[in-house]
């Protein structure tokens, strides 16, 4: 018999709905504020003396506020003007489509902000941030960057200043939370189209139209991409190659779906022999069934995460059952291990806003992976090792399962190989705080999915 869980009978009364709507509104406003906030560095005299001009249009059904740089050279100005024109056209089309709902106190808004930032000695980037609010709670956000080489008076695309081969793209992939979706995979294929800014600390990429929440911002610490940068560019970034921890290659191993009475102990043995910490995303139902195995994982010093109670796709079961799947599992894991799981990996990596909200409300952060070992599919030690070896990069979170004996078979070789390549191992939480410390940025808020 399952114990009755007090959360089972939750209904969502009107006030809860109101609070959720309220939060959505506040969130929308926060995005708006973010959208119109100026980069502090661009206040006053901008680098290279670019002036900006703001134009406002005020109509019955909409307003437009557009800030743009004043550039005399029409050859340089054209692509900027064309982009603004395209945004305006898109906005006015949406205004037209929503004519019925607009007017009488409710208007649509287009806000385009712009700033400039110096990248290297000879290049600077003009960054546009466009925010359209037409008929929805959340606006449509786009980021567009133009990087200009001042001495040669021409625009610079990312492939002009660095090697953008498959290996470099793999480094970018490791900075994404989870597997890139189809749109992201497409976007990753074309580095010439990427929106980017570069400084001595990081390469920051902005991908539009990947997520509904707005541009996906990916920040890559400078030391991860230094090998790919042109030497001249790297020098002008004034980055001291020696001093920034090149050679520190940390990754996190994660084991899902256990604990399992046969496989988990084998995995613990190998980890112990190599003195390597890992993270175990347990199913509540398994922890309840095998509490001693669950407890031994915690006692060996590994991090314990929540992988829900019965491994259902959370996006398909409704809010009430979602809460149940997460909280019942949490209780069972605490019961068996005496550890409170503060990270949650949703089965199949399936996430929506409800999953994010429930995770946040319960003080857990969502963790996906960047390298899928495919151990669940291949069930072959050699295949597991070749996949991981191919995909591994510093900062990677590797997905494995402590329920297949072939995964335990693969582990000794996997650890030996990665150790030889100079990789070191951390738990997921340790790795995340390390990466967060490296990529702390004064600009903009959080990474959208972080
Ligand atoms: Ni799983």
């Amino acid at each position: 018999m399952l114990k009755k869980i007090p959360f089972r009978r939750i209904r969502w009364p009107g006030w809860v709905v109101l609070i959720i709507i309220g939060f959505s509104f506040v969130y929308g406003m926060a995005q708006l504020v973010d959208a119109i906030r100026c980069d502090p560095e661009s206040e006053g005299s901008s680098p290279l003396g670019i002036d900006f001009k703001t134009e406002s249009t005020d109509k019955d059904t909409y307003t437009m506020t557009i800030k743009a740089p004043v550039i005399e050279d029409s050859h340089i100005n054209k692509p900027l003007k064309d982009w603004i024109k395209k945004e305006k056209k898109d906005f006015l089309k949406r205004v037209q489509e929503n004519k019925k709902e607009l007017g009488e106190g409710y208007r649509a808004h287009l806000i385009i902000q712009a700033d400039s930032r110096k990248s290297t000695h000879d290049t600077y980037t003009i960054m546009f941030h466009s925010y359209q609010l037409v008929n929805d709670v959340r606006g449509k956000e786009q980021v567009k960057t133009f990087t200009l080489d001042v001495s040669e008076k021409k625009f610079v695309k990312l492939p002009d200043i660095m090697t953008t081969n498959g290996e470099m793209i793999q480094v970018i992939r490791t900075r994404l939370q989870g597997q890139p979706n189809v749109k992201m995979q497409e976007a990753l294929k074309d580095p010439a189209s990427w929106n980017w800014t570069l400084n001595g600390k990081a390469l920051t990429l902005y991908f539009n139209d990947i997520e509904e929440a707005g541009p996906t911002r990916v920040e890559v610490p400078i030391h991860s991409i230094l090998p790919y940068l042109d030497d001249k560019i790297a020098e002008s970034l004034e980055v001291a190659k020696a001093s920034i921890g090149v050679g520190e290659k940390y990754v996190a191993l994660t084991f899902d779906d256990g604990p399992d009475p046969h496989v988990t102990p084998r995995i613990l043995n190998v980890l112990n022999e190599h003195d390597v910490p890992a993270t175990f995303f347990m199913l509540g139902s398994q922890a309840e069934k095998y509490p001693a195995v669950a407890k031994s994982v915690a006692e060996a010093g590994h991090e314990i995460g929540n992988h829900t109670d019965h491994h259902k796709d959370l996006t398909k079961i409704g809010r009430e059952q979602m809460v149940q799947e997460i909280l019942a599992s949490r209780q069972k894991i605490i019961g068996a291990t005496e550890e409170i799981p503060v990270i949650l990996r949703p089965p199949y990596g399936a996430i929506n806003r409800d999953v994010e909200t429930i995770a946040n409300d319960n003080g857990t952060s969502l963790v996906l992976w960047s390298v899928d070992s495919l151990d669940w599919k291949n069930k072959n030690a050699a295949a597991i090792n070749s996949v991981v070896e191919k995909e591994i990069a510093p900062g990677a979170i590797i997905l494995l399962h402590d329920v297949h004996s072939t995964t335990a078979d693969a582990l000794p070789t996997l650890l030996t190989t990665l150790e030889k390549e100079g990789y070191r191992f951390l738990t997921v939480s340790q790795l995340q705080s390390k990466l967060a410390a490296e990529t702390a940025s004064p600009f903009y808020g959080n990474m959208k999915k972080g």
Side-chain angles (χ1 to χ4, degrees):
M1 271 289 284
L2 283 171
K3 269 188 222 154
K4 202 162 187 175
I5 307 293
F7 304 101
R8 185 165 289 177
R9 294 247 159 250
I10 289 179
R11 291 281 178 273
W12 300 99
W15 63 267
V16 173
V17 175
L18 277 177
I19 286 175
I20 291 167
I21 292 171
F23 272 122
S24 307
F25 179 74
V26 169
Y27 182 75
M29 290 309 285
Q31 299 256 312
L32 185 67
V33 169
D34 204 33
I36 60 180
R37 189 173 55 165
C38 290
D39 175 348
E41 277 195 352
S42 72
E43 290 290 327
S45 67
S46 61
L48 305 130
I50 307 167
D51 288 324
F52 286 90
K53 209 172 92 189
T54 303
E55 275 176 27
S56 299
T57 313
D58 203 328
K59 301 275 183 191
D60 289 345
T61 50
Y62 67 86
T63 71
M64 290 197 290
T65 306
I66 297 168
K67 184 177 172 186
V70 181
I71 295 173
E72 302 254 302
D73 188 328
S74 63
H75 166 70
I76 290 172
N77 206 18
K78 187 169 186 305
L80 282 64
K81 263 172 74 181
D82 287 350
W83 183 82
I84 293 172
K85 217 192 260 173
K86 191 183 75 45
E87 279 297 303
K88 267 176 156 173
K89 205 176 142 193
D90 176 45
F91 172 71
L92 291 172
K93 186 169 155 253
R94 291 179 66 209
V95 167
Q96 192 62 25
E97 284 165 2
N98 292 278
K99 221 165 52 184
K100 271 190 222 144
E101 290 115 68
L102 298 172
E104 290 176 17
Y106 187 79
R107 292 195 291 179
H109 306 283
L110 171 66
I111 299 163
I112 295 180
Q113 277 293 319
D115 65 53
S116 64
R117 46 190 79 190
K118 203 165 155 59
S119 294
T120 66
H121 285 321
D122 292 333
T123 63
Y124 66 94
T125 300
I126 294 169
M127 180 158 162
F128 289 101
H129 194 144
S130 151
Y131 188 85
Q132 294 188 17
L133 192 66
V134 178
N135 62 341
D136 27 23
V137 175
R138 180 185 279 173
K140 184 181 168 197
E141 266 182 274
Q142 298 270 309
V143 166
K144 177 74 187 170
T145 64
F146 294 92
T147 299
L148 192 65
D149 185 319
V150 196
S151 58
E152 299 197 20
K153 291 205 165 188
K154 62 168 198 190
F155 288 101
V156 183
K157 299 205 179 287
L158 203 55
D160 297 333
I161 61 154
M162 70 190 298
T163 310
T164 49
N165 57 10
E167 197 182 291
M168 181 269 180
I169 291 173
Q170 185 55 33
V171 173
I172 309 290
R173 284 170 75 112
T174 64
R175 309 298 302 183
L176 304 172
Q177 275 272 337
Q179 292 290 82
N181 62 19
V182 177
K183 286 178 185 169
M184 182 58 101
Q185 281 175 26
E186 276 306 305
L188 285 175
K189 281 182 195 161
D190 185 14
S193 72
W194 294 355
N195 292 299
W196 56 279
T197 61
L198 180 71
N199 59 31
K201 280 172 81 178
L203 169 72
T204 308
L205 304 171
Y206 301 86
F207 296 97
N208 293 311
D209 305 317
I210 307 289
E211 295 169 78
E212 271 179 42
T216 307
R217 178 172 173 271
V218 182
E219 192 161 288
V220 190
I222 199 75
H223 67 76
S224 320
I225 50 131
L226 211 50
Y228 308 98
L229 270 180
D230 278 5
D231 284 348
K232 239 177 81 185
I233 300 288
E235 264 168 45
S236 73
L237 284 171
E238 290 159 16
V239 181
K241 282 196 191 193
S243 69
I244 46 173
V246 168
E248 275 188 25
K249 304 200 288 187
Y250 291 101
V251 291
L253 298 171
T254 63
F255 295 93
D256 287 15
D257 299 0
D260 176 273
H262 307 291
V263 181
T264 308
R266 286 184 60 200
I267 290 194
L268 289 179
N269 272 339
V270 182
L271 293 174
N272 184 37
E273 275 165 27
H274 287 255
D275 196 18
V276 160
T279 303
F280 289 76
F281 288 95
M282 294 184 178
L283 292 174
S285 53
Q286 289 292 106
E288 188 182 42
K289 222 164 157 184
Y290 306 108
V293 185
K295 177 91 183 149
S296 67
V297 176
E299 278 173 352
H302 302 294
E303 180 169 26
I304 312 285
N306 187 352
H307 196 40
T308 77
D309 207 5
H310 300 100
H311 210 274
K312 290 177 181 159
D313 181 337
L314 295 178
T315 62
K316 293 194 175 136
I317 56 176
R319 226 190 135 97
E320 197 175 323
Q321 218 193 329
M322 196 187 286
V323 173
Q324 164 74 9
E325 272 294 319
I326 294 170
L327 295 186
S329 173
R330 177 189 160 95
Q331 280 315 113
K332 290 174 186 176
I333 290 169
I334 294 171
T337 65
E338 291 168 36
E339 295 277 336
I340 299 169
V342 294
I343 46 177
L344 171 74
R345 174 173 283 166
Y348 316 104
I351 289 181
N352 60 19
R353 276 194 79 188
D354 281 344
V355 176
E356 287 177 12
T357 308
I358 292 167
N360 278 336
D361 288 353
N362 291 285
T364 52
S365 54
L366 294 174
V367 171
L368 300 176
W369 58 88
S370 61
V371 174
D372 184 348
S373 69
L374 299 178
D375 62 338
W376 50 277
K377 193 168 137 196
N378 290 330
K379 299 203 178 131
N380 173 298
I384 295 167
N385 275 304
S386 86
V387 170
V388 173
E389 222 180 299
K390 209 173 113 226
E391 306 251 318
I392 192 81
I397 297 178
I398 305 158
L399 173 67
L400 294 149
H401 295 81
D402 55 330
V403 289
H404 308 302
S405 58
T406 40
T407 302
D409 296 341
L411 198 56
T413 310
L414 194 150
L415 291 179
T416 309
T417 312
L418 295 187
E419 279 161 358
K420 266 189 205 151
E421 289 177 21
Y423 284 100
R424 292 162 71 184
F425 301 88
L426 296 171
T427 67
V428 164
S429 291
Q430 288 167 341
L431 182 69
Q432 287 189 330
S433 47
K434 201 165 180 55
L435 294 179
E438 278 174 5
T439 60
S441 156
F443 307 127
Y444 294 94
N446 305 311
M447 268 176 73
K448 293 287 179 197
K449 280 179 98 174

